[in-house]
Amino acid sequence: MSDVVLDIQSLTKTVEKNKSIVEDVSFQVKKGEILGLLGPNGAGKTTTIRMIVGLIKKSAGTVWIHGHDMDEHGKSCNEQIGAIVENPAFYDYMTGWKNLQQHARMASQPVSSTRMEEIVQLVQLDDAIYDKVKKYSLGMKQRLGVAQALLHQPALLILDEPTNGLDPKGIRELRDYLRNLAEDGISTLVSSHLLSEMQLMCDRVVIMENGRLIDETVIGELNNAERAKPNAVAFHIDSKQKKQAKTVAGTLADVEILDGEHDDTLLLHVRAEQIPAVNKQFVESGIDVYAIEHKKTSLEEKFLSLTAEDETMQTREVQ
Ligand SMILES: Nc1ncnc2c1ncn2[C@@H]1O[C@H](COP(=O)(O)OP(=O)(O)OP(=O)(O)O)[C@@H](O)[C@H]1O
Ligand SMILES: [Mg+2]
């Protein structure tokens, strides 16, 4: 069997007056891969996902699951997908476990209690699974939703903006369990408008803007490129030492001073791998460094430059 789990080709959604809100979108998700669908608000992410899971009709294009055309094999294809698109609905007055049981009854295959226990563990709800859902935090509800989506052992999990409303701890946990799923061979398609998050969570991202795919990036390559390529890095120092810090930075090879920042930061263009050496130089020269901050990641720079180009084009069209 091919290792492509989801294959979408030229997916298009046209609404009234022949306006395309998603146009000619094609990408694949491989076995065990976490693919990010990244784009600003209104880019067409939810529309794309809703077409894939059959919540709305596509105007054109094809969706294959494991090489089977979804139009012809809808039922068997859907059985291989677990998705949270809108907020998952729960019975608030029932426990998490009862909710899962209720959901399991609707699955096409029987779901064993062992399977349910495994999933509860995976989404780290063990401590709260016998509490009523009305006591759950947003993050816990979101995890219960993922547990529901995983009950029937899908090959592909689809999550639309799953980190919305989660705190940093919740986001990190989500990242961890998606990674665990990937190691078990389960693929994930996850949408977000948060670049830094996608960079940490995904193996690859496709970038969407105005209904179209505008770029595709492999995160591993990007992270390597990031280490090799200079980035804007802010060194937070005492404002009284700013002048001295500038002099020290000026003596370092391959370090460009990008100033115009606040008095208590010195902004430098350096490669990530140079940061320890630059910091050491500051410390040895008696300059206290309070924090070191990456101003922009490569993905952010790329994303912003891609979308900025588009905006210029639009402005030109309007004028
Ligand atoms: N049924 C519809 N009729 C007309 N326009 C629509 C319809 N559904 C969505 N749109 C428009 O299509 C565009 C894409 O919407 P979509 O919800 O897919 O974006 P998104 O990338 O998910 O955005 P967000 O980050 O805000 O969730 C938006 O401009 C939206 O207003
Ligand atoms: Mg959306």
Side-chain angles (χ1 to χ4, degrees), residues 119-166:
I119 289 176
V120 167
Q121 227 167 32
L122 178 78
V123 299
Q124 294 152 9
L125 271 180
D126 332 29
D127 291 343
I129 200 67
Y130 297 112
D131 290 342
K132 287 190 175 154
V133 169
K134 63 180 172 201
K135 285 209 233 151
Y136 280 20
S137 68
L138 191 66
M140 288 157 83
K141 282 190 185 165
Q142 188 261 3
R143 279 183 269 163
L144 188 62
V146 174
Q148 275 190 353
L150 287 172
L151 270 184
H152 62 290
Q153 296 194 281
L156 173 69
L157 183 64
I158 300 182
L159 304 172
D160 189 19
E161 306 256 2
T163 58
N164 268 359
L166 292 190

